[in-house]
Each structure stands twice: as structure tokens, then as C-alpha cells.
């Protein structure tokens, strides 16, 4: 047989433009991708902020990181439990954004320059809640992407949404070089709070559209099944008339 080398004649610029066209032609894809960009921006900014917030000189950072990984596992298990209890993936995604917003709101107070040991402990608990939300987020967003974005263009479409995510994350990290922001990281947490709240609002909008689309698909399936059932019945009636 001839070797399969894939599509060697694919046009890179045309492929990118096609992904962009799909994004702006489908509101579901645009909303879901925007929610993903906002949430993951908060997540990556947190990755660079948790060490300076929690490090008091004697903090066992390795143990802290291990606790974060355990919380991600807890979040994944919690996602399975909620799914079996009837929660939709879209609602779980909204709950993740609410939990992240709450964590960022807490850190807007506890991450002050003159933080006490109690403030550090509260920040640590808020970070644990955030990690649980991230553990719930990944399976939820994976399912929703598979339902909303066409498989043939999924990688191309998702690459476009990584652009604003990287811009936001890099912008926040560059701001840390400003003396005022470097001393008081509550400003960055406040920005993350705005991002997560915006994501929550957009996620509510996405849930409404996604549920309407799912209901319309269900109605079409029911109609098709009824049509398949009615056809044999009509055929049997015709055969009975012919026999008579």
C-alpha cells in the first residue's frame, strides 16, 4: 500500500482563518473558548503567585505543592460524584468559576504586604479551594469541548483561544515588575477576581444557549424515532388493505 503522509497540501493561513471563522460563526464556541481563556489565565497567574504569598521563610513549600496536587485529585473525584447525581458539565464549570472567584476575593484581603500568620493560613485554604475547582474544571471543559467544537477543527480553534490566555498571563507577570504591584499582590488577585467573575457571567450565558441546543437536538431525535415507528405501522396497514 502507499504510505499515508497526511495532507501535505494543507494551507496554514487558510486553516487558521477557517478556525477563526468557526469561532465567530458559533456563539457557543466563542463563549466556551472565552470562558476557558479567562479561567486558565487565573490558573497560570496563581501558579506564579502562590509561592511568594505563602513563603514565610519556614514554609514547607514541597508539602504545600503536594497538598495542591491532592486537591486536584479531590476535584476530579468530586466531578464524578456530581455527574452521577445529575449535575451537568456546564453547571459544574460554572461552580468552578464561582469557587475560583471566592478564592480570589479572599486573597484580595489576605495577601496584603503586612500579612499575619493567620492571613497566610487563610490564603492557603483559599488556594486549596481553587485547586479543587481546577480538578473539577478539566474533565468538565474536556466534555464540553467535545460537544461544542467540531472534531475536525478542534485543535485549530483551541489554539486561537490560547492567544488571549497567554497575553493576559504574560501581562500580569510583567506587571509584577512594577514596584507597587510587586509589594502588594492584592492588585493582581483583584484582576483575577474580575476575570473569574467575567467568566462566570459568560458561562451563565453559555449554559442557556447550550441547554437550548441540547433540547432542540433531543426533539429532533424524538421526532425521528416517532417517524421510524410510524413507518412500519403504515406499511402494515397498507398490506392489510391489499389483502382485503
Amino acid at each position: 500500500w502507499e504510505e499515508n503522509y497526511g495532507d501535505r497540501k494543507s494551507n496554514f493561513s487558510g486553516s487558521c482563518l477557517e478556525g477563526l471563522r468557526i469561532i465567530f460563526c458559533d456563539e457557543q464556541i466563542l463563549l466556551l473558548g472565552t470562558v476557558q481563556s479567562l479561567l486558565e489565565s487565573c490558573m497560570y497567574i496563581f501558579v506564579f503567585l502562590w509561592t511568594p504569598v505563602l513563603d514565610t521563610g519556614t514554609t514547607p513549600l514541597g508539602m504545600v505543592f503536594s497538598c495542591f496536587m491532592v486537591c486536584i485529585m479531590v476535584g476530579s473525584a468530586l466531578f464524578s460524584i456530581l455527574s452521577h447525581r445529575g449535575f451537568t458539565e456546564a453547571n459544574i464549570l460554572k461552580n468552578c468559576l464561582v469557587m475560583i472567584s471566592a478564592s480570589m476575593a479572599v486573597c484580595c484581603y489576605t495577601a496584603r504586604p503586612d500579612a499575619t500568620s493567620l492571613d497566610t493560613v487563610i490564603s492557603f485554604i483559599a488556594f486549596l479551594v481553587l485547586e479543587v475547582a481546577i480538578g473539577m474544571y478539566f474533565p468538565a471543559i474536556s466534555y464540553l469541548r467535545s460537544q461544542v467544537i467540531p472534531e475536525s477543527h478542534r485543535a485549530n480553534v483551541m489554539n486561537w483561544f490560547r492567544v488571549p490566555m497567554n497575553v493576559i498571563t504574560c501581562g500580569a507577570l510583567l506587571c509584577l515588575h512594577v514596584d507597587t504591584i510587586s509589594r502588594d499582590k492584592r492588585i493582581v488577585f483583584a484582576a483575577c477576581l474580575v476575570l473569574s467573575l467575567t467568566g462566570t457571567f459568560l458561562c451563565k450565558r453559555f449554559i442557556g444557549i447550550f441547554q437550548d441546543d441540547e433540547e432542540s437536538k433531543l426533539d429532533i431525535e424524538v421526532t425521528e424515532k416517532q417517524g421510524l415507528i410510524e413507518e412500519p405501522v403504515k406499511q402494515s396497514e397498507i398490506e392489510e388493505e391489499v389483502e382485503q
Side-chain angles (χ1 to χ4, degrees):
W1 62 85
E2 295 183 1
E3 188 64 38
N4 181 9
Y5 292 103
D7 188 4
R8 297 170 123 189
K9 298 180 180 179
S10 61
N11 187 350
F12 176 75
S13 60
S15 177
C16 291
L17 292 175
E18 178 65 15
L20 201 60
R21 185 192 66 79
I22 291 172
I23 291 171
F24 287 103
C25 288
D26 192 328
E27 189 177 4
Q28 283 190 90
I29 296 176
L30 180 60
L31 288 171
L32 183 65
T34 304
V35 168
Q36 174 178 320
S37 296
L38 294 174
L39 190 149
E40 292 190 6
S41 296
C42 295
M43 180 181 69
Y44 288 121
I45 292 170
F46 156 77
V47 168
F48 288 95
L49 286 182
W50 74 264
T51 304
V53 170
L54 298 181
D55 190 9
T56 60
T58 59
T59 305
L61 297 179
M63 186 65 69
V64 171
F65 181 77
S66 300
C67 292
F68 289 163
M69 296 301 102
V70 170
C71 286
I72 290 178
M73 294 173 59
V74 171
S76 298
L78 188 58
F79 170 83
S80 300
I81 294 171
L82 293 176
S83 297
H84 285 101
R85 293 194 175 183
F87 286 82
T88 63
E89 286 77 8
N91 280 317
I92 293 174
L93 177 61
K94 185 187 72 174
N95 292 333
C96 292
L97 285 158
V98 171
M99 292 169 66
I100 292 174
S101 299
S103 299
M104 294 301 173
V106 170
C107 292
C108 285
Y109 175 76
T110 58
R112 60 182 188 268
D114 55 342
T116 63
S117 58
L118 179 61
D119 291 330
T120 303
V121 171
I122 295 173
S123 296
F124 175 62
I125 295 172
F127 291 160
L128 294 179
V129 173
L130 184 144
E131 290 288 356
V132 171
I134 290 172
M136 296 165 58
Y137 160 76
F138 281 113
I141 197 69
S142 298
Y143 172 82
L144 292 172
R145 281 199 303 252
S146 68
Q147 297 298 308
V148 173
I149 305 175
E151 185 177 0
S152 57
H153 297 86
R154 192 171 300 157
N156 192 7
V157 168
M158 294 319 303
N159 284 334
W160 275 109
F161 287 113
R162 290 189 179 96
V163 175
M165 179 197 71
N166 288 322
V167 170
I168 293 171
T169 304
C170 293
L173 296 178
L174 289 173
C175 288
L176 291 174
H177 292 284
V178 179
D179 290 338
T180 304
I181 300 175
S182 179
R183 286 194 301 269
D184 191 354
K185 295 178 177 60
R186 290 179 297 176
I187 299 172
V188 182
F189 284 113
C192 290
L193 176 61
V194 172
L195 293 176
S196 56
L197 289 175
T198 304
T200 304
F201 172 77
L202 295 176
C203 190
K204 290 181 179 179
R205 170 70 178 162
F206 168 78
I207 289 172
I209 298 174
F210 183 71
Q211 288 178 344
D212 292 340
D213 187 62
E214 289 291 305
E215 289 175 0
S216 63
K217 288 179 180 178
L218 184 61
D219 291 339
I220 292 172
E221 290 178 1
V222 170
T223 304
E224 290 177 351
K225 288 179 180 178
Q226 288 177 348
L228 292 172
I229 293 172
E230 289 174 358
E231 284 183 4
V233 173
K234 291 179 180 179
Q235 184 67 26
S236 62
E237 290 176 355
I238 293 171
E239 291 176 355
E240 289 176 0
E241 292 177 0
V242 171
E243 289 177 358
Q244 292 177 356

